[in-house]
Amino acid sequence: QSVLTQPPSASGTPGQTVTISCSGSNSNIGRDAANWYQQVSGTAPKLIIYRNAQRPSGVPDRFSGSKSGTSASLAINGLQSEDEADYYCATWDDSLDGHYVFGTGTKVTVL
Amino acid sequence: QVQLVQSGAEVKRPGASVRVSCKASGYTFTSYGITWVRQAPGQGLEWVGWISGYNGNTKYAQMLQGRVTMTTDTSTSTANMELRNLRSDDTAVYYCARETSCCPEAFDIWGQGTMITVSS
């Protein structure tokens, strides 16, 4: 049972903006950076945002992240068909002697 | 290029053990930690544990404590994960992933995944 809560689904037409929320607590997002992973069906996850808002090399700038208090958000601006995937937020949690936690995941559908 | 290559799929009986390997190349193995993540069919991502490439220190998911052991072999740049006393709910794709160079809380290089099926 994940301690990071995300909406199960989100959708938009090409060109629209989709925003995904990630709600945590003071033991995880409230004290550590939020990271986001994209997982296209049948493939390994891919890091798209780290340290709340940083993009790894090669990740399009239509992906952006932010964090406020115990919540984080991922925005996809100018949605494209190849953005259809599952998205997970993640960070370390300092409860239970420290462990890494993933969000519940959000399926993004491009209509 | 930097990559992690995992061992192949396995089918195991309940109660058996399985070992998954993750061979690193293209970077200095001892400079980065490796985390293991699993994904049951149709489910989300679940953290299994982490091992330091530098000194072999480990941290395991509490729910797997006592059944999982992670090790490294620096001579072959390989990380290994052993899971014992397998149960049907251990059926999943297991991934290894490397920390980013700046930030140990994010993982930027992933293996291709190893399917472990536990079935009688």
Side-chain angles (χ1 to χ4, degrees):
Chain A
Q1 186 171 344
S2 175
V3 297
L4 302 181
T5 302
Q6 300 178 231
S9 63
S11 62
T13 57
Q16 282 190 326
T17 295
V18 167
T19 302
I20 302 167
S21 61
C22 173
S23 177
S25 68
N26 288 325
S27 65
N28 42 68
I29 293 180
R31 65 175 297 277
D32 213 337
N35 310 282
W36 291 89
Y37 298 88
Q38 176 195 61
Q39 187 180 32
V40 175
S41 181
T43 68
K46 173 187 176 183
L47 179 69
I48 57 170
I49 295 288
Y50 66 98
R51 286 277 160 102
N52 303 320
Q54 304 302 308
R55 278 188 312 276
S57 173
V59 173
D61 61 6
R62 65 178 182 274
F63 292 95
S64 62
S66 64
K67 175 183 137 175
S68 178
T70 59
S71 294
S73 293
L74 172 73
I76 310 174
N77 299 295
L79 193 66
Q80 297 186 8
S81 58
E82 60 260 38
D83 299 333
E84 186 159 295
D86 294 318
Y87 292 83
Y88 297 89
C89 57
T91 190
W92 283 99
D93 189 302
D94 73 349
S95 64
L96 302 176
D97 202 28
H99 59 289
Y100 200 74
V101 288
F102 287 96
T104 49
T106 299
K107 170 68 177 179
V108 170
T109 301
V110 181
L111 302 171
Chain B
Q1 74 280 24
V2 176
Q3 63 177 350
L4 300 173
V5 178
Q6 299 181 221
S7 51
E10 303 219 36
V11 179
K12 295 290 184 180
R13 300 292 190 200
S17 298
V18 69
R19 189 186 200 200
V20 181
S21 66
C22 171
K23 184 171 176 57
S25 60
Y27 72 94
T28 302
F29 181 75
T30 53
S31 296
Y32 297 83
I34 293 284
T35 207
W36 290 86
V37 174
R38 72 181 183 179
Q39 186 170 37
Q43 302 301 307
L45 302 174
E46 180 180 41
W47 182 73
V48 175
W50 168 90
I51 184 165
S52 167
Y54 174 67
N55 58 16
N57 284 351
T58 56
K59 197 176 282 286
Y60 301 135
Q62 194 173 58
M63 64 177 177
L64 293 175
Q65 288 273 6
R67 294 204 296 133
V68 66
T69 300
M70 294 177 184
T71 58
T72 58
D73 181 344
T74 56
S75 68
T76 60
S77 299
T78 300
N80 302 291
M81 182 207 65
E82 181 186 38
L83 189 58
R84 300 176 295 279
N85 194 17
L86 288 166
R87 311 187 303 229
S88 58
D89 61 359
D90 292 319
T91 294
V93 176
Y94 288 75
Y95 296 101
C96 60
R98 193 201 75 170
E99 297 168 347
T100 62
S101 56
C102 74
C103 319
E105 75 278 7
F107 310 107
D108 60 347
I109 306 297
W110 290 69
Q112 82 276 21
T114 297
M115 182 71 212
I116 303 299
T117 302
V118 183
S119 174
S120 54

